[in-house]
């Protein structure tokens, strides 16, 4: 977040496309950064970078840094941007949303997609979502989940992706805020 905006996307692209690092490079980097990071790597070939690493870095960054990196990546490497975006907020991260945000998301989601998406998640997520619904709506959702025939994992993941897309759209519009590290928008009383 403290790097120049032009450098952010360039470095992000390098991290996401990096796969293996030679031992000499790892040793050289470790020697330079040892004082600050106290990290020394001693593998013949170390796995470094990758899309997951970039997603973890961006999830800790503030929203403007994330948006800048993703917008630039989308222009230069759209497939890479989509892959990173898919890892930034997953369905189970609905637990990071406050109750008002969950209620706004539920207004935008079809009941069938919600029932299907919840088939592949933890009881904690199910309880949190149902806790933000009327008792009648929660009862109908639970019935739909119980009577729904077995589904392919891909269908469940597609339904979860639809809901994640709603969350991201609402966040982009400013209607909701996802709790993430590095935000300076915390409320102080």
């Amino acid at each position: 977040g403290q790097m120049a905006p032009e450098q952010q996307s360039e470095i992000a692209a390098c991290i996401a496309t990096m796969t293996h690092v030679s031992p000499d490079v790892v040793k050289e980097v470790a020697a330079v950064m040892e004082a600050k990071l106290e990290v020394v790597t001693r593998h013949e070939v170390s796995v470094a970078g990758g899309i997951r690493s970039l997603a973890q870095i961006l999830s800790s960054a503030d929203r403007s840094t994330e948006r800048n990196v993703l917008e630039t990546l989308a222009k230069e490497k759209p497939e890479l941007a989509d892959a990173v975006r898919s890892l930034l907020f997953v369905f189970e991260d609905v637990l990071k949303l406050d109750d008002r945000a969950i209620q706004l998301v539920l207004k935008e989601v079809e009941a069938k997609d919600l029932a299907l998406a919840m088939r592949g998640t933890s009881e904690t997520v199910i309880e949190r979502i149902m806790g933000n619904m009327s008792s009648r709506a929660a009862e109908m959702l639970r019935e739909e989940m119980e009577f729904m025939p077995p589904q392919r994992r891909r269908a469940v993941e597609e339904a979860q992706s639809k809901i994640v897309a709603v969350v991201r759209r609402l966040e982009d519009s400013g209607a909701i805020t996802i709790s993430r590290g590095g935000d300076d928008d915390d409320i102080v009383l």
Side-chain angles (χ1 to χ4, degrees):
Q2 296 179 10
M3 294 178 199
E6 314 80 59
Q7 291 178 318
Q8 290 175 347
S9 58
E10 182 181 332
I11 291 170
C14 289
I15 290 171
T17 57
M18 186 183 335
T19 56
H20 291 30
V21 180
S22 76
D24 295 335
V25 173
V26 172
K27 288 177 186 173
E28 187 176 332
V29 170
V32 172
M33 300 189 67
E34 185 173 16
K36 289 184 180 183
L37 300 177
E38 296 179 349
V39 173
V40 178
T41 307
R42 291 185 175 103
H43 295 96
E44 282 193 28
V45 177
S46 298
V47 176
I51 295 170
R52 286 196 186 284
S53 295
L54 178 57
Q56 287 175 335
I57 291 168
L58 290 179
S59 68
S60 297
D62 60 88
R63 182 67 174 133
S64 63
T65 300
E66 176 189 325
R67 186 174 287 131
N68 175 50
V69 168
L70 289 174
E71 285 174 358
T72 305
L73 277 179
K75 292 174 190 168
E76 297 171 7
K77 299 180 180 187
E79 301 83 22
L80 183 60
D82 289 342
V84 171
R85 211 176 255 121
S86 72
L87 294 175
L88 284 175
F89 186 92
V90 295
F91 184 72
E92 287 76 18
D93 288 340
V94 76
L95 295 172
K96 294 179 180 179
L97 300 175
D98 62 26
D99 289 343
R100 184 188 72 75
I102 292 173
Q103 292 163 12
L104 286 173
V105 171
L106 291 174
K107 288 179 183 178
E108 304 272 331
V109 173
E110 292 185 33
K112 182 179 178 181
D113 287 334
L114 184 60
L116 186 55
M118 290 175 50
R119 297 266 314 230
T121 193
S122 70
E123 190 61 34
T124 306
V125 173
I126 293 170
E127 288 173 9
R128 181 73 190 277
I129 289 174
M130 289 190 173
N132 280 284
M133 303 173 83
S134 69
S135 57
R136 177 74 181 127
E139 181 182 324
M140 288 174 53
L141 181 61
R142 193 167 295 277
E143 284 178 11
E144 186 165 345
M145 289 171 60
E146 288 176 15
F147 295 113
M148 186 180 287
Q151 301 290 319
R152 294 188 183 278
R153 175 161 300 287
R154 188 167 50 127
V156 171
E157 289 171 353
E158 286 174 8
Q160 290 177 345
S161 292
K162 286 180 183 178
I163 295 169
V164 167
V166 169
V167 170
R168 291 199 64 82
R169 183 173 47 76
L170 288 172
E171 183 187 26
D172 287 342
S173 73
I176 66 173
T177 302
I178 298 172
S179 174
R180 57 177 88 233
D183 271 353
D184 293 331
D185 297 335
D186 296 335
I187 297 173
V188 179
L189 299 176

